[in-house]
PDB file of all heavy atoms in Angstrom:
ATOM      1  N   VAL E   1      -9.279  -6.765   8.230  1.00 90.00           N
ATOM      2  CA  VAL E   1      -9.883  -6.441   6.926  1.00 90.00           C
ATOM      3  C   VAL E   1      -8.808  -6.348   5.832  1.00 90.00           C
ATOM      4  O   VAL E   1      -8.827  -5.439   5.007  1.00 90.00           O
ATOM      5  CB  VAL E   1     -10.717  -5.126   7.001  1.00 90.00           C
ATOM      6  CG1 VAL E   1     -11.983  -5.332   7.800  1.00 90.00           C
ATOM      7  CG2 VAL E   1      -9.880  -3.977   7.588  1.00 90.00           C
ATOM      8  N   SER E   2      -7.903  -7.312   5.840  1.00 92.00           N
ATOM      9  CA  SER E   2      -6.812  -7.289   4.865  1.00 92.00           C
ATOM     10  C   SER E   2      -7.284  -7.540   3.436  1.00 92.00           C
ATOM     11  O   SER E   2      -6.508  -7.405   2.488  1.00 92.00           O
ATOM     12  CB  SER E   2      -5.745  -8.324   5.235  1.00 92.00           C
ATOM     13  OG  SER E   2      -6.303  -9.618   5.236  1.00 92.00           O
ATOM     14  N   HIS E   3      -8.577  -7.899   3.285  1.00 94.00           N
ATOM     15  CA  HIS E   3      -9.115  -8.151   1.943  1.00 94.00           C
ATOM     16  C   HIS E   3      -9.500  -6.850   1.231  1.00 94.00           C
ATOM     17  O   HIS E   3      -9.893  -6.883   0.056  1.00 94.00           O
ATOM     18  CB  HIS E   3     -10.362  -9.035   2.042  1.00 94.00           C
ATOM     19  CG  HIS E   3     -11.484  -8.419   2.829  1.00 94.00           C
ATOM     20  ND1 HIS E   3     -11.443  -8.301   4.200  1.00 94.00           N
ATOM     21  CD2 HIS E   3     -12.651  -7.862   2.440  1.00 94.00           C
ATOM     22  CE1 HIS E   3     -12.554  -7.696   4.620  1.00 94.00           C
ATOM     23  NE2 HIS E   3     -13.293  -7.431   3.559  1.00 94.00           N
ATOM     24  N   LEU E   4      -9.391  -5.727   1.919  1.00 94.00           N
ATOM     25  CA  LEU E   4      -9.803  -4.446   1.322  1.00 94.00           C
ATOM     26  C   LEU E   4      -8.623  -3.760   0.635  1.00 94.00           C
ATOM     27  O   LEU E   4      -7.655  -3.378   1.300  1.00 94.00           O
ATOM     28  CB  LEU E   4     -10.358  -3.511   2.392  1.00 94.00           C
ATOM     29  CG  LEU E   4     -11.618  -3.988   3.129  1.00 94.00           C
ATOM     30  CD1 LEU E   4     -11.989  -2.979   4.216  1.00 94.00           C
ATOM     31  CD2 LEU E   4     -12.778  -4.137   2.141  1.00 94.00           C
ATOM     32  N   PRO E   5      -8.667  -3.575  -0.684  1.00 96.00           N
ATOM     33  CA  PRO E   5      -7.556  -2.894  -1.356  1.00 96.00           C
ATOM     34  C   PRO E   5      -7.349  -1.462  -0.846  1.00 96.00           C
ATOM     35  O   PRO E   5      -6.221  -0.967  -0.780  1.00 96.00           O
ATOM     36  CB  PRO E   5      -7.951  -2.903  -2.834  1.00 96.00           C
ATOM     37  CG  PRO E   5      -9.421  -3.206  -2.853  1.00 96.00           C
ATOM     38  CD  PRO E   5      -9.707  -4.001  -1.627  1.00 96.00           C
ATOM     39  N   TYR E   6      -8.448  -0.809  -0.472  1.00 95.00           N
ATOM     40  CA  TYR E   6      -8.363   0.572   0.038  1.00 95.00           C
ATOM     41  C   TYR E   6      -7.438   0.648   1.243  1.00 95.00           C
ATOM     42  O   TYR E   6      -6.661   1.612   1.396  1.00 95.00           O
ATOM     43  CB  TYR E   6      -9.762   1.059   0.409  1.00 95.00           C
ATOM     44  CG  TYR E   6      -9.813   2.397   1.075  1.00 95.00           C
ATOM     45  CD1 TYR E   6      -9.671   3.575   0.332  1.00 95.00           C
ATOM     46  CD2 TYR E   6      -9.983   2.523   2.460  1.00 95.00           C
ATOM     47  CE1 TYR E   6      -9.699   4.822   0.949  1.00 95.00           C
ATOM     48  CE2 TYR E   6     -10.028   3.755   3.078  1.00 95.00           C
ATOM     49  CZ  TYR E   6      -9.894   4.891   2.323  1.00 95.00           C
ATOM     50  OH  TYR E   6      -9.919   6.120   2.930  1.00 95.00           O
ATOM     51  N   LEU E   7      -7.503  -0.355   2.133  1.00 96.00           N
ATOM     52  CA  LEU E   7      -6.649  -0.372   3.317  1.00 96.00           C
ATOM     53  C   LEU E   7      -5.183  -0.375   2.914  1.00 96.00           C
ATOM     54  O   LEU E   7      -4.374   0.418   3.440  1.00 96.00           O
ATOM     55  CB  LEU E   7      -6.963  -1.604   4.164  1.00 96.00           C
ATOM     56  CG  LEU E   7      -5.946  -1.953   5.262  1.00 96.00           C
ATOM     57  CD1 LEU E   7      -5.957  -0.881   6.346  1.00 96.00           C
ATOM     58  CD2 LEU E   7      -6.235  -3.310   5.863  1.00 96.00           C
ATOM     59  N   HIS E   8      -4.804  -1.222   1.976  1.00 97.00           N
ATOM     60  CA  HIS E   8      -3.396  -1.331   1.580  1.00 97.00           C
ATOM     61  C   HIS E   8      -2.930  -0.054   0.858  1.00 97.00           C
ATOM     62  O   HIS E   8      -1.765   0.334   0.990  1.00 97.00           O
ATOM     63  CB  HIS E   8      -3.202  -2.557   0.698  1.00 97.00           C
ATOM     64  CG  HIS E   8      -3.526  -3.832   1.409  1.00 97.00           C
ATOM     65  ND1 HIS E   8      -2.787  -4.300   2.490  1.00 97.00           N
ATOM     66  CD2 HIS E   8      -4.535  -4.730   1.240  1.00 97.00           C
ATOM     67  CE1 HIS E   8      -3.313  -5.428   2.930  1.00 97.00           C
ATOM     68  NE2 HIS E   8      -4.377  -5.709   2.195  1.00 97.00           N
ATOM     69  N   ILE E   9      -3.846   0.583   0.148  1.00 97.00           N
ATOM     70  CA  ILE E   9      -3.504   1.865  -0.486  1.00 97.00           C
ATOM     71  C   ILE E   9      -3.191   2.909   0.572  1.00 97.00           C
ATOM     72  O   ILE E   9      -2.207   3.667   0.467  1.00 97.00           O
ATOM     73  CB  ILE E   9      -4.635   2.331  -1.425  1.00 97.00           C
ATOM     74  CG1 ILE E   9      -4.687   1.442  -2.668  1.00 97.00           C
ATOM     75  CG2 ILE E   9      -4.443   3.792  -1.823  1.00 97.00           C
ATOM     76  CD1 ILE E   9      -5.893   1.695  -3.554  1.00 97.00           C
ATOM     77  N   GLN E  10      -4.008   2.958   1.633  1.00 96.00           N
ATOM     78  CA  GLN E  10      -3.753   3.920   2.703  1.00 96.00           C
ATOM     79  C   GLN E  10      -2.419   3.618   3.394  1.00 96.00           C
ATOM     80  O   GLN E  10      -1.667   4.542   3.724  1.00 96.00           O
ATOM     81  CB  GLN E  10      -4.899   3.879   3.719  1.00 96.00           C
ATOM     82  CG  GLN E  10      -6.247   4.331   3.180  1.00 96.00           C
ATOM     83  CD  GLN E  10      -6.198   5.719   2.588  1.00 96.00           C
ATOM     84  OE1 GLN E  10      -5.853   6.682   3.269  1.00 96.00           O
ATOM     85  NE2 GLN E  10      -6.546   5.838   1.320  1.00 96.00           N
ATOM     86  N   ILE E  11      -2.131   2.355   3.613  1.00 97.00           N
ATOM     87  CA  ILE E  11      -0.846   1.983   4.217  1.00 97.00           C
ATOM     88  C   ILE E  11       0.295   2.387   3.297  1.00 97.00           C
ATOM     89  O   ILE E  11       1.334   2.893   3.737  1.00 97.00           O
ATOM     90  CB  ILE E  11      -0.810   0.474   4.527  1.00 97.00           C
ATOM     91  CG1 ILE E  11      -1.802   0.150   5.660  1.00 97.00           C
ATOM     92  CG2 ILE E  11       0.591   0.032   4.910  1.00 97.00           C
ATOM     93  CD1 ILE E  11      -1.963  -1.327   5.940  1.00 97.00           C
ATOM     94  N   GLY E  12       0.101   2.177   1.995  1.00 97.00           N
ATOM     95  CA  GLY E  12       1.112   2.596   1.026  1.00 97.00           C
ATOM     96  C   GLY E  12       1.360   4.090   1.073  1.00 97.00           C
ATOM     97  O   GLY E  12       2.516   4.548   1.006  1.00 97.00           O
ATOM     98  N   ILE E  13       0.300   4.867   1.203  1.00 97.00           N
ATOM     99  CA  ILE E  13       0.447   6.324   1.275  1.00 97.00           C
ATOM    100  C   ILE E  13       1.249   6.717   2.518  1.00 97.00           C
ATOM    101  O   ILE E  13       2.110   7.599   2.468  1.00 97.00           O
ATOM    102  CB  ILE E  13      -0.939   7.008   1.276  1.00 97.00           C
ATOM    103  CG1 ILE E  13      -1.632   6.820  -0.072  1.00 97.00           C
ATOM    104  CG2 ILE E  13      -0.822   8.500   1.596  1.00 97.00           C
ATOM    105  CD1 ILE E  13      -3.096   7.246  -0.089  1.00 97.00           C
ATOM    106  N   VAL E  14       0.948   6.057   3.644  1.00 97.00           N
ATOM    107  CA  VAL E  14       1.683   6.353   4.890  1.00 97.00           C
ATOM    108  C   VAL E  14       3.173   6.075   4.703  1.00 97.00           C
ATOM    109  O   VAL E  14       4.022   6.920   5.002  1.00 97.00           O
ATOM    110  CB  VAL E  14       1.133   5.507   6.057  1.00 97.00           C
ATOM    111  CG1 VAL E  14       2.063   5.610   7.264  1.00 97.00           C
ATOM    112  CG2 VAL E  14      -0.258   5.982   6.451  1.00 97.00           C
ATOM    113  N   TYR E  15       3.499   4.878   4.216  1.00 97.00           N
ATOM    114  CA  TYR E  15       4.911   4.522   4.044  1.00 97.00           C
ATOM    115  C   TYR E  15       5.606   5.466   3.063  1.00 97.00           C
ATOM    116  O   TYR E  15       6.766   5.828   3.261  1.00 97.00           O
ATOM    117  CB  TYR E  15       5.037   3.074   3.571  1.00 97.00           C
ATOM    118  CG  TYR E  15       4.869   2.049   4.669  1.00 97.00           C
ATOM    119  CD1 TYR E  15       4.060   0.924   4.489  1.00 97.00           C
ATOM    120  CD2 TYR E  15       5.551   2.175   5.880  1.00 97.00           C
ATOM    121  CE1 TYR E  15       3.913  -0.028   5.482  1.00 97.00           C
ATOM    122  CE2 TYR E  15       5.407   1.228   6.880  1.00 97.00           C
ATOM    123  CZ  TYR E  15       4.593   0.128   6.672  1.00 97.00           C
ATOM    124  OH  TYR E  15       4.455  -0.814   7.673  1.00 97.00           O
ATOM    125  N   TYR E  16       4.874   5.858   2.030  1.00 97.00           N
ATOM    126  CA  TYR E  16       5.467   6.794   1.064  1.00 97.00           C
ATOM    127  C   TYR E  16       5.769   8.131   1.729  1.00 97.00           C
ATOM    128  O   TYR E  16       6.830   8.724   1.501  1.00 97.00           O
ATOM    129  CB  TYR E  16       4.512   6.983  -0.128  1.00 97.00           C
ATOM    130  CG  TYR E  16       5.097   7.865  -1.203  1.00 97.00           C
ATOM    131  CD1 TYR E  16       5.968   7.344  -2.151  1.00 97.00           C
ATOM    132  CD2 TYR E  16       4.785   9.212  -1.268  1.00 97.00           C
ATOM    133  CE1 TYR E  16       6.521   8.143  -3.133  1.00 97.00           C
ATOM    134  CE2 TYR E  16       5.333  10.016  -2.241  1.00 97.00           C
ATOM    135  CZ  TYR E  16       6.191   9.494  -3.180  1.00 97.00           C
ATOM    136  OH  TYR E  16       6.740  10.300  -4.141  1.00 97.00           O
ATOM    137  N   LYS E  17       4.847   8.588   2.567  1.00 95.00           N
ATOM    138  CA  LYS E  17       5.027   9.883   3.244  1.00 95.00           C
ATOM    139  C   LYS E  17       6.248   9.899   4.160  1.00 95.00           C
ATOM    140  O   LYS E  17       6.879  10.916   4.351  1.00 95.00           O
ATOM    141  CB  LYS E  17       3.771  10.247   4.031  1.00 95.00           C
ATOM    142  CG  LYS E  17       2.671  10.893   3.224  1.00 95.00           C
ATOM    143  CD  LYS E  17       1.493  11.274   4.097  1.00 95.00           C
ATOM    144  CE  LYS E  17       0.462  12.072   3.323  1.00 95.00           C
ATOM    145  NZ  LYS E  17       0.890  13.444   3.041  1.00 95.00           N
ATOM    146  N   ILE E  18       6.535   8.716   4.757  1.00 96.00           N
ATOM    147  CA  ILE E  18       7.685   8.671   5.680  1.00 96.00           C
ATOM    148  C   ILE E  18       8.924   8.064   4.991  1.00 96.00           C
ATOM    149  O   ILE E  18       9.859   7.632   5.648  1.00 96.00           O
ATOM    150  CB  ILE E  18       7.340   7.899   6.962  1.00 96.00           C
ATOM    151  CG1 ILE E  18       6.900   6.461   6.688  1.00 96.00           C
ATOM    152  CG2 ILE E  18       6.238   8.625   7.730  1.00 96.00           C
ATOM    153  CD1 ILE E  18       6.604   5.646   7.946  1.00 96.00           C
ATOM    154  N   HIS E  19       8.874   8.059   3.657  1.00 96.00           N
ATOM    155  CA  HIS E  19      10.028   7.696   2.820  1.00 96.00           C
ATOM    156  C   HIS E  19      10.474   6.236   2.992  1.00 96.00           C
ATOM    157  O   HIS E  19      11.659   5.925   2.818  1.00 96.00           O
ATOM    158  CB  HIS E  19      11.211   8.627   3.084  1.00 96.00           C
ATOM    159  CG  HIS E  19      10.921  10.058   2.750  1.00 96.00           C
ATOM    160  ND1 HIS E  19      11.847  11.057   2.910  1.00 96.00           N
ATOM    161  CD2 HIS E  19       9.792  10.651   2.284  1.00 96.00           C
ATOM    162  CE1 HIS E  19      11.304  12.212   2.540  1.00 96.00           C
ATOM    163  NE2 HIS E  19      10.067  11.979   2.157  1.00 96.00           N
ATOM    164  N   ARG E  20       9.534   5.364   3.301  1.00 96.00           N
ATOM    165  CA  ARG E  20       9.839   3.936   3.349  1.00 96.00           C
ATOM    166  C   ARG E  20       9.347   3.316   2.037  1.00 96.00           C
ATOM    167  O   ARG E  20       8.284   2.694   1.964  1.00 96.00           O
ATOM    168  CB  ARG E  20       9.202   3.290   4.585  1.00 96.00           C
ATOM    169  CG  ARG E  20       9.884   3.727   5.874  1.00 96.00           C
ATOM    170  CD  ARG E  20       9.159   3.293   7.132  1.00 96.00           C
ATOM    171  NE  ARG E  20       8.939   1.856   7.236  1.00 96.00           N
ATOM    172  CZ  ARG E  20       8.411   1.272   8.309  1.00 96.00           C
ATOM    173  NH1 ARG E  20       8.051   2.010   9.368  1.00 96.00           N
ATOM    174  NH2 ARG E  20       8.226  -0.036   8.345  1.00 96.00           N
ATOM    175  N   TRP E  21      10.124   3.563   0.979  1.00 96.00           N
ATOM    176  CA  TRP E  21       9.685   3.253  -0.373  1.00 96.00           C
ATOM    177  C   TRP E  21       9.373   1.758  -0.565  1.00 96.00           C
ATOM    178  O   TRP E  21       8.380   1.416  -1.212  1.00 96.00           O
ATOM    179  CB  TRP E  21      10.750   3.676  -1.399  1.00 96.00           C
ATOM    180  CG  TRP E  21      11.396   4.991  -1.180  1.00 96.00           C
ATOM    181  CD1 TRP E  21      12.732   5.246  -1.088  1.00 96.00           C
ATOM    182  CD2 TRP E  21      10.756   6.273  -1.027  1.00 96.00           C
ATOM    183  NE1 TRP E  21      12.963   6.591  -0.892  1.00 96.00           N
ATOM    184  CE2 TRP E  21      11.772   7.242  -0.856  1.00 96.00           C
ATOM    185  CE3 TRP E  21       9.419   6.704  -1.028  1.00 96.00           C
ATOM    186  CZ2 TRP E  21      11.505   8.590  -0.686  1.00 96.00           C
ATOM    187  CZ3 TRP E  21       9.146   8.045  -0.843  1.00 96.00           C
ATOM    188  CH2 TRP E  21      10.180   8.983  -0.685  1.00 96.00           C
ATOM    189  N   GLU E  22      10.225   0.879  -0.046  1.00 97.00           N
ATOM    190  CA  GLU E  22      10.019  -0.548  -0.262  1.00 97.00           C
ATOM    191  C   GLU E  22       8.771  -1.062   0.455  1.00 97.00           C
ATOM    192  O   GLU E  22       8.028  -1.895  -0.080  1.00 97.00           O
ATOM    193  CB  GLU E  22      11.247  -1.331   0.176  1.00 97.00           C
ATOM    194  CG  GLU E  22      12.476  -1.090  -0.715  1.00 97.00           C
ATOM    195  CD  GLU E  22      13.671  -1.896  -0.279  1.00 97.00           C
ATOM    196  OE1 GLU E  22      13.564  -2.643   0.726  1.00 97.00           O
ATOM    197  OE2 GLU E  22      14.731  -1.771  -0.932  1.00 97.00           O
ATOM    198  N   ASP E  23       8.535  -0.561   1.661  1.00 97.00           N
ATOM    199  CA  ASP E  23       7.313  -0.938   2.384  1.00 97.00           C
ATOM    200  C   ASP E  23       6.086  -0.422   1.651  1.00 97.00           C
ATOM    201  O   ASP E  23       5.069  -1.125   1.560  1.00 97.00           O
ATOM    202  CB  ASP E  23       7.346  -0.369   3.813  1.00 97.00           C
ATOM    203  CG  ASP E  23       8.347  -1.098   4.699  1.00 97.00           C
ATOM    204  OD1 ASP E  23       8.545  -2.321   4.491  1.00 97.00           O
ATOM    205  OD2 ASP E  23       8.926  -0.467   5.587  1.00 97.00           O
ATOM    206  N   ALA E  24       6.180   0.788   1.122  1.00 97.00           N
ATOM    207  CA  ALA E  24       5.055   1.337   0.348  1.00 97.00           C
ATOM    208  C   ALA E  24       4.811   0.511  -0.901  1.00 97.00           C
ATOM    209  O   ALA E  24       3.652   0.213  -1.253  1.00 97.00           O
ATOM    210  CB  ALA E  24       5.363   2.786  -0.034  1.00 97.00           C
ATOM    211  N   GLU E  25       5.898   0.105  -1.562  1.00 97.00           N
ATOM    212  CA  GLU E  25       5.778  -0.734  -2.761  1.00 97.00           C
ATOM    213  C   GLU E  25       5.029  -2.024  -2.439  1.00 97.00           C
ATOM    214  O   GLU E  25       4.108  -2.429  -3.172  1.00 97.00           O
ATOM    215  CB  GLU E  25       7.177  -1.054  -3.282  1.00 97.00           C
ATOM    216  CG  GLU E  25       7.214  -1.987  -4.475  1.00 97.00           C
ATOM    217  CD  GLU E  25       8.630  -2.402  -4.844  1.00 97.00           C
ATOM    218  OE1 GLU E  25       9.596  -1.664  -4.510  1.00 97.00           O
ATOM    219  OE2 GLU E  25       8.777  -3.471  -5.461  1.00 97.00           O
ATOM    220  N   ARG E  26       5.393  -2.677  -1.330  1.00 97.00           N
ATOM    221  CA  ARG E  26       4.729  -3.917  -0.939  1.00 97.00           C
ATOM    222  C   ARG E  26       3.241  -3.701  -0.677  1.00 97.00           C
ATOM    223  O   ARG E  26       2.396  -4.537  -1.030  1.00 97.00           O
ATOM    224  CB  ARG E  26       5.409  -4.532   0.285  1.00 97.00           C
ATOM    225  CG  ARG E  26       6.675  -5.298  -0.035  1.00 97.00           C
ATOM    226  CD  ARG E  26       7.156  -6.093   1.149  1.00 97.00           C
ATOM    227  NE  ARG E  26       7.723  -5.208   2.167  1.00 97.00           N
ATOM    228  CZ  ARG E  26       8.993  -4.845   2.203  1.00 97.00           C
ATOM    229  NH1 ARG E  26       9.839  -5.275   1.276  1.00 97.00           N
ATOM    230  NH2 ARG E  26       9.434  -4.046   3.163  1.00 97.00           N
ATOM    231  N   ALA E  27       2.919  -2.576  -0.048  1.00 97.00           N
ATOM    232  CA  ALA E  27       1.513  -2.282   0.248  1.00 97.00           C
ATOM    233  C   ALA E  27       0.697  -2.099  -1.034  1.00 97.00           C
ATOM    234  O   ALA E  27      -0.413  -2.637  -1.166  1.00 97.00           O
ATOM    235  CB  ALA E  27       1.411  -1.034   1.126  1.00 97.00           C
ATOM    236  N   TYR E  28       1.258  -1.378  -1.985  1.00 98.00           N
ATOM    237  CA  TYR E  28       0.549  -1.171  -3.258  1.00 98.00           C
ATOM    238  C   TYR E  28       0.410  -2.475  -4.052  1.00 98.00           C
ATOM    239  O   TYR E  28      -0.619  -2.705  -4.690  1.00 98.00           O
ATOM    240  CB  TYR E  28       1.243  -0.101  -4.089  1.00 98.00           C
ATOM    241  CG  TYR E  28       1.024   1.297  -3.584  1.00 98.00           C
ATOM    242  CD1 TYR E  28       2.103   2.093  -3.206  1.00 98.00           C
ATOM    243  CD2 TYR E  28      -0.255   1.830  -3.480  1.00 98.00           C
ATOM    244  CE1 TYR E  28       1.913   3.383  -2.725  1.00 98.00           C
ATOM    245  CE2 TYR E  28      -0.454   3.106  -3.000  1.00 98.00           C
ATOM    246  CZ  TYR E  28       0.634   3.879  -2.626  1.00 98.00           C
ATOM    247  OH  TYR E  28       0.427   5.162  -2.147  1.00 98.00           O
ATOM    248  N   LEU E  29       1.422  -3.317  -3.970  1.00 98.00           N
ATOM    249  CA  LEU E  29       1.334  -4.610  -4.656  1.00 98.00           C
ATOM    250  C   LEU E  29       0.245  -5.485  -4.021  1.00 98.00           C
ATOM    251  O   LEU E  29      -0.444  -6.236  -4.719  1.00 98.00           O
ATOM    252  CB  LEU E  29       2.694  -5.323  -4.608  1.00 98.00           C
ATOM    253  CG  LEU E  29       3.765  -4.748  -5.551  1.00 98.00           C
ATOM    254  CD1 LEU E  29       5.120  -5.395  -5.268  1.00 98.00           C
ATOM    255  CD2 LEU E  29       3.376  -4.959  -7.017  1.00 98.00           C
ATOM    256  N   LYS E  30       0.082  -5.383  -2.697  1.00 97.00           N
ATOM    257  CA  LYS E  30      -0.993  -6.111  -2.032  1.00 97.00           C
ATOM    258  C   LYS E  30      -2.349  -5.618  -2.530  1.00 97.00           C
ATOM    259  O   LYS E  30      -3.268  -6.411  -2.776  1.00 97.00           O
ATOM    260  CB  LYS E  30      -0.909  -5.921  -0.516  1.00 97.00           C
ATOM    261  CG  LYS E  30       0.169  -6.736   0.157  1.00 97.00           C
ATOM    262  CD  LYS E  30       0.144  -6.509   1.677  1.00 97.00           C
ATOM    263  CE  LYS E  30       1.235  -7.286   2.384  1.00 97.00           C
ATOM    264  NZ  LYS E  30       1.201  -7.053   3.856  1.00 97.00           N
ATOM    265  N   ALA E  31      -2.466  -4.307  -2.672  1.00 97.00           N
ATOM    266  CA  ALA E  31      -3.725  -3.733  -3.171  1.00 97.00           C
ATOM    267  C   ALA E  31      -4.019  -4.243  -4.578  1.00 97.00           C
ATOM    268  O   ALA E  31      -5.161  -4.616  -4.899  1.00 97.00           O
ATOM    269  CB  ALA E  31      -3.663  -2.207  -3.151  1.00 97.00           C
ATOM    270  N   LEU E  32      -2.993  -4.291  -5.410  1.00 97.00           N
ATOM    271  CA  LEU E  32      -3.193  -4.723  -6.800  1.00 97.00           C
ATOM    272  C   LEU E  32      -3.446  -6.226  -6.901  1.00 97.00           C
ATOM    273  O   LEU E  32      -4.100  -6.679  -7.848  1.00 97.00           O
ATOM    274  CB  LEU E  32      -1.960  -4.334  -7.632  1.00 97.00           C
ATOM    275  CG  LEU E  32      -1.870  -2.840  -7.936  1.00 97.00           C
ATOM    276  CD1 LEU E  32      -0.487  -2.478  -8.450  1.00 97.00           C
ATOM    277  CD2 LEU E  32      -2.940  -2.412  -8.927  1.00 97.00           C
ATOM    278  N   ALA E  33      -2.953  -6.985  -5.939  1.00 97.00           N
ATOM    279  CA  ALA E  33      -3.238  -8.429  -5.925  1.00 97.00           C
ATOM    280  C   ALA E  33      -4.721  -8.679  -5.669  1.00 97.00           C
ATOM    281  O   ALA E  33      -5.270  -9.686  -6.097  1.00 97.00           O
ATOM    282  CB  ALA E  33      -2.389  -9.115  -4.860  1.00 97.00           C
ATOM    283  N   ILE E  34      -5.361  -7.724  -4.987  1.00 97.00           N
ATOM    284  CA  ILE E  34      -6.796  -7.834  -4.688  1.00 97.00           C
ATOM    285  C   ILE E  34      -7.622  -7.200  -5.814  1.00 97.00           C
ATOM    286  O   ILE E  34      -8.642  -7.730  -6.228  1.00 97.00           O
ATOM    287  CB  ILE E  34      -7.114  -7.166  -3.349  1.00 97.00           C
ATOM    288  CG1 ILE E  34      -6.327  -7.826  -2.224  1.00 97.00           C
ATOM    289  CG2 ILE E  34      -8.616  -7.215  -3.042  1.00 97.00           C
ATOM    290  CD1 ILE E  34      -6.300  -7.032  -0.920  1.00 97.00           C
ATOM    291  N   ASP E  35      -7.155  -6.050  -6.288  1.00 97.00           N
ATOM    292  CA  ASP E  35      -7.876  -5.325  -7.348  1.00 97.00           C
ATOM    293  C   ASP E  35      -6.881  -4.871  -8.403  1.00 97.00           C
ATOM    294  O   ASP E  35      -6.210  -3.852  -8.243  1.00 97.00           O
ATOM    295  CB  ASP E  35      -8.610  -4.110  -6.755  1.00 97.00           C
ATOM    296  CG  ASP E  35      -9.355  -3.320  -7.816  1.00 97.00           C
ATOM    297  OD1 ASP E  35      -9.442  -3.785  -8.977  1.00 97.00           O
ATOM    298  OD2 ASP E  35      -9.846  -2.208  -7.491  1.00 97.00           O
ATOM    299  N   GLU E  36      -6.775  -5.634  -9.462  1.00 96.00           N
ATOM    300  CA  GLU E  36      -5.788  -5.347 -10.505  1.00 96.00           C
ATOM    301  C   GLU E  36      -6.194  -4.159 -11.367  1.00 96.00           C
ATOM    302  O   GLU E  36      -5.426  -3.750 -12.256  1.00 96.00           O
ATOM    303  CB  GLU E  36      -5.579  -6.576 -11.377  1.00 96.00           C
ATOM    304  CG  GLU E  36      -6.826  -7.023 -12.109  1.00 96.00           C
ATOM    305  CD  GLU E  36      -6.615  -8.289 -12.925  1.00 96.00           C
ATOM    306  OE1 GLU E  36      -5.557  -8.906 -12.796  1.00 96.00           O
ATOM    307  OE2 GLU E  36      -7.536  -8.648 -13.705  1.00 96.00           O
ATOM    308  N   ASN E  37      -7.373  -3.612 -11.135  1.00 97.00           N
ATOM    309  CA  ASN E  37      -7.849  -2.465 -11.922  1.00 97.00           C
ATOM    310  C   ASN E  37      -7.846  -1.173 -11.122  1.00 97.00           C
ATOM    311  O   ASN E  37      -8.596  -0.245 -11.437  1.00 97.00           O
ATOM    312  CB  ASN E  37      -9.254  -2.747 -12.442  1.00 97.00           C
ATOM    313  CG  ASN E  37      -9.275  -3.885 -13.438  1.00 97.00           C
ATOM    314  OD1 ASN E  37      -8.432  -3.945 -14.339  1.00 97.00           O
ATOM    315  ND2 ASN E  37     -10.215  -4.799 -13.289  1.00 97.00           N
TER     316      ASN E  37
END
């Protein structure tokens, strides 16, 4: 279900919590590529 922006946001939150900033950044960019709003 990689087409769901919500999924990538949740992955971004996980990476942020474990201080993997660049991985979190990529996850949020994926979410925004699907839903720019």
